[in-house]
Amino acid sequence: MITIAVDAMGGDNAPRPEVEGSVLAARELGVRVLLVGQPAAVKAELGKHDWRGLPMEIVTASEVITMNDHPAQAFRRKKDSSVHVAARLVREAKADGLVSAGNTGAVMTVARFLLGTLESVDRVALAAPFPNAKGGVSVMLDVGANVDSRPEHLVQFAIMGETYYRATFGHRRPRVGLLSIGEEESKGNELTREVHERLKRAHLHYIGNVEGGDLFSGEVDVIVCDGFVGNIALKICEGLAVQIFGLLRKSLKSSLVSQFGAMLSQGAFKGLKKTIDYTEYGGAPLLGVRGVCVIGHGRSNANAVKNAIRVAAGLARARMNEKIEEQLSVVSQWPAIGEQGSGTRKRRDNAETPRTLRLTE
């Protein structure tokens, strides 16, 4: 049975949604859940649910990392925090993965330094799944694990994202695109132009540069970008979705005719809301660490926590890290730049010892 350690104290409303979501996961998904946190608070929430007979345990952690804590300082000073303990369970092979809806920077820092990175990975990346216009799912990475990246890092993001997409969504040959300011090869900054040349030689279904308008089109499955751009793009999309629903709700209440139309369209609106509901996707996996780590939104509810556990269990079952290492091992065998022709979007559709990392402020 797959075992997932859940940071029960991480989210904005912890431990209520973490406990409820874990109960749902243990009951519906056939996974064993270790609830990591302050025992009194976790037990109080568990007492509200019928969890008898479910594969669940409480693991004690005396400290909590808050959303206001500085990631590096929290890593150093709160060694017995719930996310520290959860990561150690993974490192010691007592859990197959961890889930946290806590301070994203702190979770990433703990995961990188306690678990370490895969041998072939220079930079880890956060991969965010979201729905597209064709009824499927697209993935964008990196969405915040790195602020500055070099070309080789984005190439690794592309390989990790493509591997993750194949294992998670069952697509044998996902289309990979590079987020830029235009489809033409000449568009973009120095970073994107260099990455474009490298990805043309990659053993991927690389379709070339894609623009912001392509994110939700369904024409590309894996969108690659640096974490600075990706995080801004992600938050713009989240904010826009909230505003659109707010404006739509206000408009539908503006008159009796609109209210009547809203009643007739209630089923369609519920379907749309479910499609774009972030809780259905659980969270963003942190790809490249030596273990499975899924980071959820701070506002995660029970459904989001349950689905984050589902995602973590799926990655563990798929042996994601082994597949990433296998794919990255062929990078050194790629031909030098210029040995192959161009491949623009219009022409082509086709628990070992962790690595030592330097912790900075």
Side-chain angles (χ1 to χ4, degrees):
M1 181 178 289
I2 294 292
T3 300
I4 303 299
V6 175
D7 172 11
M9 313 303 296
D12 293 350
N13 301 303
R16 179 178 51 78
E18 284 80 1
V19 170
E20 183 180 353
S22 295
V23 171
L24 292 173
R27 180 179 296 135
E28 300 174 14
L29 305 178
V31 298
R32 176 171 171 253
V33 179
L34 304 179
L35 281 166
V36 185
Q38 297 171 329
V42 176
K43 287 179 181 177
E45 284 299 326
L46 269 175
K48 302 175 183 178
H49 305 277
D50 181 10
W51 63 286
R52 291 172 296 179
L54 295 178
M56 300 181 67
E57 299 176 29
I58 298 175
V59 178
T60 300
S62 62
E63 297 177 301
V64 177
I65 294 178
T66 70
M67 295 297 179
N68 296 321
D69 282 330
H70 187 284
Q73 292 176 356
F75 174 79
R76 292 192 184 98
R77 298 172 183 174
K78 295 186 175 182
K79 300 291 187 181
D80 198 46
S81 71
S82 50
V83 68
H84 272 81
V85 175
R88 284 198 290 268
L89 290 170
V90 177
R91 187 180 65 184
E92 297 166 4
K94 295 177 181 177
D96 299 291
L98 75 90
V99 166
S100 177
N103 181 316
T104 301
V107 177
M108 290 192 297
T109 301
V110 170
R112 287 176 57 212
F113 288 96
L114 287 189
L115 301 180
T117 61
L118 298 175
E119 187 64 30
S120 302
V121 172
D122 295 314
R123 294 281 183 90
V124 299
L126 269 175
F130 52 86
N132 60 47
K134 294 192 174 182
V137 176
S138 297
V139 171
M140 181 166 61
L141 74 164
D142 175 32
V143 294
N146 307 277
V147 176
D148 298 302
S149 300
R150 297 195 300 270
E152 56 268 31
H153 300 150
L154 267 69
V155 172
Q156 289 187 357
F157 298 166
I159 295 169
M160 291 193 294
E162 193 264 1
T163 304
Y164 161 64
Y165 199 95
R166 281 191 287 109
T168 303
F169 302 105
H171 198 305
R172 294 183 60 187
R173 194 165 166 75
R175 296 157 297 180
V176 179
L178 176 64
L179 187 60
S180 186
I181 59 173
E183 296 179 9
E184 299 84 359
E185 288 191 349
S186 60
K187 293 294 183 67
N189 55 20
E190 184 177 346
L191 174 64
T192 55
R193 290 196 298 269
E194 173 67 14
V195 173
H196 175 70
E197 291 299 322
R198 297 191 185 203
L199 288 179
K200 286 194 299 183
R201 300 175 289 113
H203 299 277
L204 302 171
H205 187 184
Y206 178 58
I207 64 172
N209 292 338
V210 296
E211 300 177 86
D214 296 310
L215 294 183
F216 297 94
S217 68
E219 297 296 332
V220 59
D221 302 306
V222 179
I223 300 103
V224 181
C225 56
D226 68 83
F228 184 83
V229 171
N231 189 264
I232 292 174
L234 180 66
K235 289 180 178 177
I236 288 175
C237 293
E238 289 178 343
L240 180 61
V242 171
Q243 293 302 319
I244 287 175
F245 267 97
L247 292 171
L248 183 60
R249 189 179 298 110
K250 183 178 180 180
S251 177
L252 292 174
K253 293 180 179 179
S254 62
S255 68
L256 288 175
V257 174
S258 296
Q259 292 178 40
F260 181 70
M263 291 178 59
L264 295 178
S265 305
Q266 192 172 27
F269 287 133
K270 285 183 178 179
L272 175 61
K273 187 174 181 179
K274 183 177 177 64
T275 298
I276 66 173
D277 185 2
Y278 75 90
T279 70
E280 295 295 322
Y281 301 92
L286 184 63
L287 301 178
V289 294
R290 197 183 295 274
V292 171
C293 176
V294 176
I295 303 177
H297 200 291
R299 298 194 302 270
S300 291
N301 59 19
N303 189 54
V305 173
K306 181 192 76 171
N307 283 312
I309 295 172
R310 173 183 56 77
V311 171
L315 294 176
R317 291 191 182 100
R319 306 181 75 86
M320 179 59 58
N321 289 335
E322 292 182 14
K323 293 178 179 178
I324 288 175
E325 286 278 36
E326 179 183 353
Q327 293 301 313
L328 287 175
S329 67
V330 304
V331 172
S332 61
Q333 303 173 26
W334 291 356
I337 292 177
E339 289 186 15
Q340 288 188 353
S342 65
T344 66
R345 188 179 184 186
K346 291 179 176 59
R347 295 179 57 185
R348 191 177 173 192
D349 186 31
N350 46 13
E352 298 176 350
T353 302
R355 294 175 58 195
T356 301
L357 297 169
R358 178 171 172 266
L359 180 63
T360 58
E361 286 294 343

